[in-house]
Amino acid sequence: RDTIMAKPKELKVTLVKSKHGRLKSHKACVAGLGLRKMHQTVTVADTPENRGMINRISYMIAVEEA
């Protein structure tokens, strides 16, 4: 029995400020989103977990809907 699952919405996240000198928990959020370098853009699923990380480090990133 096959069911078609709706594809989750995605967000494009770009690191626009350096992670150097930031709180350890904020650096962990950057890593958790898959960002490594400045101006790198990744696509992540729009989940409550990712939204929480995005909200915590909103001052360091730019977000747009993919």
Side-chain angles (χ1 to χ4, degrees), residues 8-38:
K9 287 188 178 181
E10 294 186 333
L11 300 170
K12 286 173 61 176
V13 182
T14 305
L15 186 63
V16 294
K17 286 194 175 185
S18 174
K19 60 185 177 179
H20 294 286
R22 306 295 179 185
L23 293 173
K24 198 172 187 179
S25 61
H26 290 200
K27 287 182 184 182
C29 287
V30 170
L33 289 169
L35 294 165
R36 295 191 188 109
K37 300 190 289 187
M38 287 280 298

Side-chain angles (χ1 to χ4, degrees), residues 7 26 30 35 46-47 55-56 60 62:
K7 189 173 182 183
H26 290 200
V30 170
L35 294 165
D46 188 4
T47 63
N55 287 338
R56 179 170 278 190
M60 295 172 61

Side-chain angles (χ1 to χ4, degrees), residues 41-54:
T41 301
V42 296
T43 304
V44 296
D46 188 4
T47 63
E49 295 82 6
N50 286 340
R51 280 285 182 176
M53 289 190 279
I54 288 169

